[in-house]
Amino acid sequence: MNSYGTILIVDDNSAILTALRYCLASIFERVLTLERPDDILKTMAQEQTDIVLLDMNFTLGVNSGQEGLFWLRTIRKQHPQTPVVLLTAYADVSLAVKGLKSGAADFITKPWDNDELIRKLKDVLDMQDEIVSLDEMEKDHIRRTIDRCHGNLSQAAELLGITRQTLYNKMKRL
């Protein structure tokens, strides 16, 4: 029944990690856990990760969510296709909005309802299969156009209706 691949859960509270591991073990093929966010990129480089559940605060006494936002941006930069769902006990609307604007796929508050948590994670992963971002569509279209023009960038830019310089700039982001 666990058809949702691998989830990486990052939270500094080992009890939270244990509870989430038990809750999600029947949904995901693999449940990886980390207590330190410093190991996120190394783990993601070594393990195919389908989704990340990321706590927002890792320093005792800090509840601003800035640490989580930092790691969200870091993950999104290195692994733009991997959805990140934020998890926090200190939720407020402005923090949720900041997280979503920074690329979070969703936002879950502690304590969570197991059924709601599972539904949200499944929804995020199911949407990944259905929706392609505009950036991805543009990248794919540019690649296909360049291939069609056999690498002739002037011709590709003309077909795309943009200047050659604009095409160069877009290619830098590919």
Side-chain angles (χ1 to χ4, degrees):
M1 185 70 189
N2 35 5
S3 61
Y4 282 94
T6 300
I7 184 168
L8 173 61
I9 306 167
V10 187
D11 195 301
D12 58 323
N13 184 327
S14 61
I16 297 285
L17 293 175
T18 300
L20 287 168
R21 190 178 307 114
Y22 283 121
C23 173
L24 300 173
S26 64
I27 307 302
F28 290 89
E29 291 174 24
R30 295 184 67 215
V31 178
L32 306 175
T33 59
L34 293 175
E35 288 188 32
R36 296 185 23 202
D38 298 342
D39 297 330
I40 293 172
L41 295 180
K42 182 175 97 177
T43 301
M44 291 182 76
Q46 295 171 348
E47 304 278 350
Q48 167 61 40
T49 305
D50 297 295
I51 190 167
V52 176
L53 185 55
L54 176 68
D55 189 24
M56 296 290 294
N57 299 296
F58 294 96
T59 302
L60 191 62
V62 174
N63 60 12
S64 67
Q66 294 306 308
E67 292 170 301
L69 292 174
F70 168 80
W71 286 107
L72 168 64
R73 288 188 293 270
T74 302
I75 294 167
R76 299 290 299 148
K77 190 179 294 183
Q78 295 292 319
H79 302 275
Q81 300 301 18
T82 305
V84 178
V85 175
L86 300 175
L87 180 67
T88 187
Y90 304 98
D92 65 36
V93 173
S94 65
L95 182 58
V97 169
K98 282 181 189 175
L100 294 172
K101 283 184 175 180
S102 296
D106 211 331
F107 197 88
I108 296 169
T109 57
K110 297 175 189 173
W112 63 88
D113 172 87
N114 286 346
D115 292 334
E116 181 70 10
L117 170 73
I118 290 167
R119 184 194 60 74
K120 283 187 175 192
L121 293 173
K122 284 181 173 182
D123 284 351
V124 167
L125 287 167
D126 291 344
M127 285 179 54
Q128 284 290 110
D129 294 335
E130 296 173 15
I131 298 173
V132 177
S133 72
L134 287 174
D135 285 342
E136 284 303 310
M137 288 177 67
E138 181 183 47
K139 288 176 187 177
D140 185 54
H141 186 63
I142 289 171
R143 284 186 190 113
R144 284 187 287 118
T145 303
I146 292 171
D147 287 346
R148 181 176 172 199
C149 296
H150 306 290
N152 183 329
L153 297 182
S154 296
Q155 185 181 13
E158 186 177 328
L159 280 174
L160 291 167
I162 58 178
T163 66
R164 187 178 166 112
Q165 184 60 48
T166 300
L167 179 58
Y168 279 130
N169 292 339
K170 290 182 181 289
M171 288 173 57
K172 287 180 189 175
R173 295 183 293 155
L174 294 180

